[in-house]
Amino acid sequence: MTRDREPAPVSDDTVNPAQQARGPHLPDVVTRTWAAWIFVILAIGYIAWYVTHLDVKPAASLADFVVYVLQAVPSATAILLPAAVLARHPDAWSHARTLLFGTILYAAVQGLLILADPLQGFFETQTPASPDLPFLVPLATAYSALISLVAAFGLGYIAVGLSMARRYEGGSRWTTGWFVPVATVFGTVVGVLAVSRIPFGDTPMSPTLIIYLASSVVLGVLRIVMWAWLASVATRGWLAGEDPRSGWGLASIATAFVLLALALVNLSQLIDVPNNAIGTGLGYVIVILYAGGHLALLAAFAVGLPAIDEVDDTDLDDDFDDDALDDDDFDDDDEEDADSAG
C-alpha cells in the first residue's frame, strides 16, 4: 500500500535566481550593448573632428553645405557599422566573429585617414622625395597603400561573414557570379588607361615610378573587386530569401550604389568632364550615391542583418526542467520502491 505524498512547500531557495527581483540596475539595452556605444562615441568624435577641420568656401551656397554633409556620411556610417552589428547581436563576437571583425577593420580605416595629415611631416622628414619624383614620398605612399589594404580586408571579412551566416542554398551563382570578373576587368582596363593619360613630361620612367603606378592600379582594382564581392554575397542572400529579407535587400542596394559611384569616378578619369553644370551635376551624383550606399549598408545591419542562431539561457532552463527533472519520473521511482518494500 502506497501513501499519497503531500506536495512539499515551495521555499525561496527553489526559485530560479534569474526570476528573482533585481535591484536598481541599468536597462538591459545598455548593459548588453555597451560595446556598441564605444563606436557611437567614436562616430561623434569623428563628426566633431570633421566640423573643426572643414574648409568652408567664403561664398558657400546651400548646395555646398549639402555636399559637406554628404562627404562626412561614408566615414561616420563606417564607424557605426560595428555599433549596428553589436546592437542587434550583442554576442556577435561568439556567433559572427568574422563579420564583426570586418566591420571593425572598415571602421579603423577612418582613424588611419585622420592620422594621415599629421603624419605627413614625419613621412617627408624620414623619407624625403627625390628630385626626379618630387610628388612621391615613400613612407606616405606606403601608408596610403596600408589604408587601401585595410579597407579591402575589412570588406572581404564582411563578405565572408555574411556568406557564413547564410542558411539557404538558393540564389544561383550565374545570377551574381559575373560581378567579380566584370569588376576586375573594368577596374584593370580603366586603371591602366588612366595611368597612360598622366602627363609625366620629362620625368624618367624609373623602377620606383613603375612600382608606384602598378601598385596604384592594383589597389584601385582591389577596391572595386571587394565591393563587387560583397554585392554578390548580399544579392545572392536576398534572392535566396535569407532573414531578414529587408536587411539583405538593403545590403544589395547599398553595394550597387557604391559600385556605381566608383564606376563613375573611374570613368571621369578617362573622359574630359567639362567644368560646368554637367561636371558639377556628375560630382553631386557621385557624392549622393557613395553616401547613400553607406547609409543603406548601415540600415541593413540596423534591421538585423544577418539572422544569427543564438542559444538562449531560458531555453536551456526549460529543457532542463522538462526533461531532467520530470515529476512523473520521480513518482514512478517512488512507486517501484514502495512495491519492493512491501
Side-chain angles (χ1 to χ4, degrees):
M1 179 177 178
T2 61
R3 294 183 301 174
D4 295 336
R5 291 183 304 156
E6 296 182 358
V10 179
S11 63
D12 294 338
D13 295 335
T14 62
V15 178
N16 190 338
Q19 298 176 351
Q20 294 180 357
R22 299 169 60 186
H25 61 280
L26 293 174
D28 291 341
V29 70
V30 176
T31 56
R32 286 178 57 83
T33 61
W34 62 268
W37 288 101
I38 297 176
F39 295 95
V40 173
I41 295 173
L42 290 176
I44 296 174
Y46 169 80
I47 295 174
W49 175 89
Y50 179 79
V51 172
T52 56
H53 289 75
L54 184 61
D55 187 12
V56 181
K57 298 179 181 179
S61 62
L62 179 59
D64 293 329
F65 282 102
V66 172
V67 172
Y68 292 148
V69 173
L70 291 176
Q71 288 176 342
V73 167
S75 297
T77 53
I79 299 173
L80 290 174
L81 289 181
V85 174
L86 289 169
R88 295 307 304 264
H89 308 291
D91 299 328
W93 188 251
S94 300
H95 300 87
R97 183 175 302 176
T98 302
L99 173 63
L100 179 60
F101 182 68
T103 58
I104 293 175
L105 275 183
Y106 196 62
V109 172
Q110 316 312 317
L112 295 176
L113 290 173
I114 292 176
L115 293 175
D117 188 39
L119 289 176
Q120 184 64 28
F122 172 78
F123 294 152
E124 294 176 355
T125 303
Q126 298 298 318
T127 57
S130 63
D132 295 336
L133 301 173
F135 59 88
L136 183 58
V137 179
L139 267 182
T141 303
Y143 187 78
S144 299
L146 173 65
I147 294 176
S148 299
L149 288 176
V150 172
F153 274 101
L155 293 173
Y157 271 100
I158 293 174
V160 173
L162 290 178
S163 181
M164 293 171 59
R166 290 192 54 194
R167 304 175 182 178
Y168 310 119
E169 293 297 331
S172 57
R173 291 184 179 275
W174 70 266
T175 56
T176 59
W178 56 272
F179 285 8
V180 173
V182 170
T184 304
V185 174
F186 173 81
T188 303
V189 172
V190 173
V192 172
L193 292 177
V195 168
S196 64
R197 291 169 56 90
I198 299 176
F200 292 105
D202 298 332
T203 303
M205 190 59 65
S206 61
T208 303
L209 182 58
I210 294 176
I211 295 174
Y212 168 73
L213 296 177
S215 61
S216 299
V217 173
V218 171
L219 292 175
V221 173
L222 185 62
R223 181 187 186 187
I224 194 171
V225 165
M226 286 301 177
W227 276 106
W229 184 19
L230 182 56
S232 176
V233 173
T235 304
R236 286 192 65 196
W238 176 71
L239 292 175
E242 296 285 348
D243 296 324
R245 188 73 185 275
S246 59
W248 290 91
L250 284 170
S252 179
I253 294 174
T255 52
F257 280 7
V258 173
L259 284 173
L260 183 56
L262 295 178
L264 293 176
V265 170
N266 284 271
L267 290 176
S268 63
Q269 299 175 1
L270 303 179
I271 303 173
D272 294 329
V273 181
N275 190 15
N276 53 17
I278 297 178
T280 303
L282 180 61
Y284 287 154
V285 171
I286 293 173
V287 172
I288 292 173
L289 285 174
Y290 199 66
H294 281 77
L295 280 176
L297 187 60
L298 177 62
F301 288 114
V303 299
L305 176 73
I308 301 175
D309 292 330
E310 299 180 2
V311 179
D312 192 356
D313 293 339
T314 57
D315 295 337
L316 295 177
D317 294 339
D318 292 340
D319 295 338
F320 183 73
D321 293 339
D322 294 339
D323 299 332
L325 299 179
D326 193 348
D327 291 340
D328 294 338
D329 296 337
F330 282 111
D331 293 340
D332 294 338
D333 294 340
D334 291 342
E335 292 178 358
E336 292 176 359
D337 294 340
D339 294 339
S340 300

